[in-house]
Amino acid sequence: MATDQRTALVSGASRGIGAEIARELARDNGFLVYAGARDVDDVDGLDGIEPIHLDVTDQASIEAARDRIEAESGRLDSLVNNAGVYGEPTGAADYPLDDAHEVLEVNTLGPWRLIEAFLPLLRESSDPRIVNVSSGAGQLSDMNGGRAAYRVSKAGLNALTRTLASDERWVKVNTMCPGWVRTDMGGSSATRSVEEGADTAVWLATLPGDGPTGGFFRDRKPIPW
């Protein structure tokens, strides 16, 4: 059943930055937000938020989520690819490739799977948006050592953003770095709140028609790739 309410899907929305993105889209921007999580019981059932089972490494899970959103909403206006894993601190020379593969499955191929699955529903929107939550660790312009799988996976996500934005000009596709945020991944010593970390993603998910596409942003400002 189609709805006039704008609809978003946020992956990895059970905690941290993803949960805050979902909250702000629902509370402050009037979206119906499908909050994706491997365990829906972990999602806060707030007004405007619908928990939905979603494992970005499992094609069947993705297709089931797409079918539900299509049946209930008829379209998707914003897709926020937030689900991610950090992996180990190991450098490239010693990183076990089986473990690296698991990081790439979540951080790079997971968003790619979701994009391919949800493009038909995004086409039903008059203002479709895709937001890929990346990291400064994936910036080639400032690439350092350590956490090799994480760095490579986020650099790949950035490349996916630019490629898709060029191929599919009808949808605004951008990537963002939330900075060092106080989450389970970032740790308690991080310098930024979840609200600060989520802000740019929410901005990109709600861009006006003349907003940017194919960009990389932090604090709503372009940053080098």
Side-chain angles (χ1 to χ4, degrees):
M1 180 183 298
T3 177
D4 292 333
Q5 187 176 15
R6 289 187 297 174
T7 302
L9 171 63
V10 181
S11 67
S14 62
R15 59 185 179 179
I17 295 170
E20 183 62 25
I21 293 170
R23 280 192 293 267
E24 293 187 21
L25 286 175
R27 181 190 64 210
D28 302 334
N29 295 276
F31 276 75
L32 170 62
V33 180
Y34 288 90
R38 287 178 294 181
D39 186 345
V40 295
D41 291 336
D42 291 338
V43 176
D44 289 334
L46 305 176
D47 287 347
I49 294 179
E50 288 288 336
I52 190 168
H53 175 68
L54 184 63
D55 180 344
V56 301
T57 69
D58 181 357
Q59 189 65 30
S61 166
I62 292 170
E63 291 175 2
R66 179 197 60 206
D67 291 347
R68 176 182 165 189
I69 293 172
E70 182 176 21
E72 294 179 356
S73 298
R75 72 173 192 277
L76 188 66
D77 297 289
S78 295
L79 170 63
V80 182
N81 285 307
N82 169 75
V85 294
Y86 209 16
E88 299 299 324
T90 313
D94 302 306
Y95 211 104
L97 292 186
D98 286 345
D99 294 345
H101 184 271
E102 293 177 3
V103 176
L104 290 163
E105 281 288 338
V106 175
N107 293 357
T108 311
L109 296 179
W112 201 341
R113 289 187 191 95
L114 283 178
I115 288 167
E116 288 190 344
F118 281 93
L119 279 178
L121 290 186
L122 287 161
R123 288 186 184 275
E124 298 299 318
S125 171
S126 59
D127 294 297
R129 307 286 182 259
I130 296 173
V131 183
N132 293 323
V133 177
S134 185
S135 170
Q139 287 178 270
L140 292 177
S141 59
D142 191 30
M143 185 64 69
N144 293 303
R147 297 218 175 263
Y150 184 75
R151 292 183 183 278
V152 171
S153 71
K154 292 301 187 179
L157 182 60
N158 290 351
L160 176 63
T161 298
R162 294 193 65 173
T163 300
L164 185 68
S166 180
D167 288 342
E168 306 292 338
R169 296 187 178 274
W170 56 272
V171 55
K172 292 189 183 301
V173 186
N174 293 285
T175 192
M176 59 80 68
C177 170
W180 187 23
V181 179
R182 290 188 293 275
T183 62
D184 289 348
M185 182 181 291
S188 60
S189 298
T191 57
R192 295 165 68 89
S193 67
V194 289
E195 291 83 3
E196 290 171 312
D199 178 72
T200 299
V202 173
W203 170 65
L204 290 171
T206 58
L207 282 174
D210 60 353
T213 191
F216 190 16
F217 297 89
R218 182 190 295 120
D219 296 330
R220 304 193 181 194
K221 297 177 182 178
I223 59 176
W225 293 93

